[in-house]
């Protein structure tokens, strides 16, 4: 027998700890300045990793692909704009919710500049609304507060 088979706990104790995977955050928004503001916030919170999408259709296609082939790479949080051209945020939310991946479904955040847009995202299956704005420093203070609260609640 190999050492790890004879004494698995002692062997495991000598292995280096694996760093925790970052918490995936997607922003689905057709405005580059909102991608930049979200990236500014996420860069200050190393626990998160941001991926950006310019439209709902490409994000839904990527979510579908990952749900089928690599569910561990799905985002934990999705920031969803409402007005995005080809597909509105409420439609993208409904399609993502219909996929129903294994494990934890993502938290879908209504992230529209228009309150009624965020409300429509929540009505379509979204979870919460975070105000979308860009401060003088290029970040979004409301997004930072939400992500910090998420970490406190999650215990990270």
């Amino acid at each position: 027998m190999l050492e790890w088979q004879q004494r698995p706990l002692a062997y495991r104790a000598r292995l280096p700890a694996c760093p925790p995977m970052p918490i995936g955050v997607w922003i689905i928004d057709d405005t580059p300045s909102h991608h930049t503001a979200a990236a500014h916030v996420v860069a200050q919170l190393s626990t998160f990793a941001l991926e950006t999408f310019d439209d709902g259709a490409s994000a839904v296609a990527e979510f579908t692909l990952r749900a089928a082939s690599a569910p561990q790479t799905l985002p934990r949080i999705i920031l969803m704009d409402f007005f995005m051209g080809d597909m509105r945020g409420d439609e993208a939310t409904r399609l993502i919710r219909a996929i129903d991946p294994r494990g934890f479904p993502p938290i879908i955040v209504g992230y529209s500049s228009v309150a009624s847009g965020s409300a429509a995202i929540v009505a379509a299956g979204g979870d919460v609304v975070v105000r979308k704005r860009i401060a003088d420093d290029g970040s979004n203070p409301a997004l930072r507060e939400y992500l910090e609260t998420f970490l406190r609640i999650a215990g990270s």
Side-chain angles (χ1 to χ4, degrees):
M1 286 181 110
L2 299 173
E3 178 187 2
W4 66 269
Q5 293 170 317
Q6 294 171 352
R7 298 180 22 207
L9 293 179
Y11 180 78
R12 188 176 340 158
R14 290 197 332 253
L15 295 176
C18 293
M21 289 183 64
I23 298 167
V25 177
W26 286 8
I27 182 169
I28 306 170
D29 195 311
D30 60 347
T31 307
S33 60
H34 292 296
H35 290 206
T36 303
H40 187 276
V41 170
V42 168
Q44 296 171 0
L45 302 170
S46 62
T47 307
F48 297 98
L50 182 70
E51 291 184 62
T52 62
F53 295 86
D54 296 324
D55 61 85
S58 64
V60 169
E62 183 66 19
F63 193 90
T64 303
L65 176 70
R66 291 187 193 190
S69 62
Q72 71 279 8
T73 66
L74 287 169
R76 186 68 187 105
I77 299 169
I78 297 175
L79 307 173
M80 183 73 71
D81 186 24
F82 183 71
F83 296 109
M84 297 183 286
D86 70 326
M87 180 184 292
R88 291 188 340 204
D90 56 344
E91 181 182 355
T93 297
R94 271 193 285 283
L95 291 170
I96 287 170
R97 285 291 185 233
I99 294 167
D100 193 28
R102 299 174 121 183
F104 294 106
I107 296 167
I108 298 179
V109 176
Y111 197 65
S112 178
S113 300
V114 180
S116 62
S118 289
I121 291 165
V122 170
D127 299 293
V128 67
V129 172
V130 172
R131 184 173 176 217
K132 181 167 73 170
R133 72 176 188 91
I134 301 173
D136 291 339
D137 69 354
S139 71
N140 179 338
L143 177 59
R144 182 180 182 88
E145 181 181 350
Y146 172 75
L147 293 176
E148 288 173 341
T149 301
F150 177 88
L151 289 175
R152 278 194 304 278
I153 292 170
S156 295

